[in-house]
Structure formats: C-alpha cells, structure tokens
Amino acid sequence: MDAVRAVLIDIDGVLTVSWKPLPGAIEALHRIRDAGLGVVLLTNTTSRTRASIAATLGAAGFPVSAEDILTAPTATAAYLTDHRPGARCSLLNSGDIREDLVGVTLLDDSDTDTDTVPDVVIVGGAGPEFDYAALNRVFGHLQRGARLVAMHRNLYWRTDRGLDLDSGAFLLGLEHAARTRAEITGKPAPAFFEAALARLGAGPGQAVMVGDDIESDVLAAQRTGITGVLVKTGKYLPETHHAASARPDHVLDSVADLPALLDSVMRR
C-alpha cells in the first residue's frame, strides 16, 4: 500500500458496543487524529441520525463531529437521488432516521386504507417493527412491483446482551419469497467505501478500513483496493473468521492496537 492518509472505521463493535466505548478506543482515535490522518466513521447503524451518533460519541470523549460520519441512511438518500429521483418510498426501519433521508419521499404506511403501492421499499435495521404484519406488507408491495432497497445485509450485531438478529436475516426471506434481489446502499456496497475516500481526497491504496464484520467491513473494502483490518471485538467470531471467503490483510485484538499498526506501516 501507499503511505496511509485515510482511516475508515466502523463504529458498532469496533469503537463501541451498545454505544459504550470499548477499552482503548477513545485513546486510539485521539492518536490517529494526532498523527494527522484523515478519519471517516462508516456505519451501517440505522437506529440513529448522524447528529445523534456524533453527539453520543462526543459525549463519551471521541474526537468526532457529524461531518466525520457516513451512515447507511445518508448513503441510501444519495443513492435514491441519483438512481430513483422522485420515487415514492415505504420505509421499514427500527429508529427515526428521516432527518438523514434528505430528498426522499416517504409514504405513511400507518394508513391501512390506502391502496398506494410505493415505487421503492427501503429496509433498514431490524427491531420490534419487523413483525409479521410489517414484513407481509413489504412482501405485498414487492409482489405489486415495488423495488427493494436495503441499507445493509447484516445478519446480526453485538449488544451488551450478546448477538441480536438484524435485518439481513429477514431480507433473505423477502428476496426469496418475492423472487427479487435487493439493491444494497451501505456496506458492503463499493460506492459506500468510495464515498468515504472521496471525503478525504484519498485513493484506495492510501486507506485502511477497520471493522468487526469480516465480510461486509473488511473483505468488501479489500475488494475495492483498501487495506482491511479485522478486529476481534464486537460481532467477531472465530468460526466466521475461519470460514470467510478470503483472508483479511491484518487482524488485531482490538482497535486499541491500530495506532501501532499504522505506525509500522507508515515507517515502511
């Protein structure tokens, strides 16, 4: 790789778990900033807006602002603006992210008397909202011609209770039942990583991507030419690591070890 200029970091499972800082994470991010490296936090989190994420991380001591964060909802808004301008959209998501869906026309699915079929169904992160009625409503929209756009394919994520099921598990069923394929806007979509690099004015060979999801975070970044760093925190499981489709460029116990890795790479 070239001299490192850009560091892309996943949030959930790398810097925090259930929004509580992981050991050494705050110090690591300060050291990376002090080294003069550009940082973008890439997250498939769909339960909060960028502003809310930045406020929570800032209160915990992380040196970040909303401008440093790229979320799957903001990527979804950009994707729909570019590829499906003016589309009427139905949103299934746990958490209020409408503030970040700038320019997206959202229908009100609470009106059960309407026969309006959306042009696009947007699937975000899973939660209590993903009950039978909601999933069956989405299935009906897809049968009647709506396109399926998903913010990510994550099967699960790590909380302070353990692993929780995520929307990727439901997405597989919807795709199979409706005989369709979702358009993905967050990780592992190449455009998501490319948008982060564009913010920092860096090329793939000048960047590293740090994540706890070997497929969506690390190997997806490596396929775009970015150096991948897998951390053994968050959703990391040894069996998933060993069964992965390829090998990560680097494996660390945690993000606390990242500054030392960057130092060694930059000294080459």
Side-chain angles (χ1 to χ4, degrees):
M1 67 182 293
D2 304 328
V4 178
R5 292 181 51 199
V7 183
L8 316 181
I9 308 176
D10 182 31
I11 299 175
D12 194 17
V14 178
L15 298 178
T16 67
V17 168
S18 294
W19 301 106
K20 298 174 184 175
L22 285 167
I26 295 173
E27 295 79 3
L29 193 53
H30 275 286
R31 287 180 60 188
I32 293 167
R33 292 282 201 196
D34 291 344
L37 298 173
V39 175
V40 170
L41 305 185
L42 280 72
T43 178
N44 277 348
T45 297
T46 58
S47 60
R48 298 185 181 211
T49 63
R50 284 198 314 157
S52 173
I53 293 171
T56 298
L57 294 179
F62 287 102
V64 299
S65 66
E67 289 69 33
D68 300 319
I69 300 171
L70 183 61
T71 68
T74 57
T76 300
Y79 176 87
L80 290 171
T81 298
D82 290 343
H83 294 85
R84 305 197 182 279
R88 300 164 304 158
C89 302
S90 173
L91 173 65
L92 177 58
N93 180 69
S94 185
D96 186 1
I97 54 170
R98 292 170 184 259
E99 177 184 319
D100 283 349
L101 293 175
V102 178
V104 177
T105 301
L106 294 175
L107 301 177
D108 185 1
D109 277 334
S110 65
D111 184 359
T112 57
D113 294 328
T114 182
D115 291 326
T116 301
V117 178
D119 302 306
V120 174
V121 172
I122 306 171
V123 176
E129 297 83 355
F130 280 61
D131 58 15
Y132 177 80
L135 290 167
N136 196 47
R137 182 174 65 247
V138 168
F139 178 48
H141 291 333
L142 298 177
Q143 290 183 89
R144 296 163 68 187
R147 301 299 294 265
L148 180 59
V149 171
M151 296 187 188
H152 59 73
R153 286 192 172 278
N154 294 359
L155 296 172
Y156 49 83
W157 78 96
R158 174 74 65 180
T159 72
D160 51 13
R161 302 181 303 273
L163 295 178
D164 278 7
L165 198 64
D166 208 346
S167 54
F170 301 103
L171 189 63
L172 290 169
L174 287 169
E175 289 178 319
H176 189 68
R179 295 188 296 277
T180 190
R181 183 75 173 171
E183 303 162 37
I184 307 299
T185 55
K187 295 175 293 184
F192 199 49
F193 298 104
E194 292 163 2
L197 293 177
R199 286 193 179 194
L200 298 175
Q206 299 170 311
V208 298
M209 171 66 206
V210 187
D212 63 329
D213 187 317
I214 189 169
E215 295 289 348
S216 292
D217 292 343
V218 180
L219 298 183
Q222 290 179 191
R223 285 192 289 271
T224 69
I226 299 170
T227 296
V229 180
L230 177 67
V231 292
K232 295 182 177 181
T233 53
K235 67 169 65 172
Y236 174 87
L237 295 172
E239 55 267 36
T240 305
H241 182 180
H242 297 312
S245 58
R247 298 181 63 179
D249 293 318
H250 301 278
V251 181
L252 301 176
D253 286 335
S254 77
V255 74
D257 300 319
L258 181 61
L261 173 64
L262 295 176
D263 286 344
S264 67
V265 170
M266 292 172 71
R267 284 197 300 267
R268 291 176 185 173

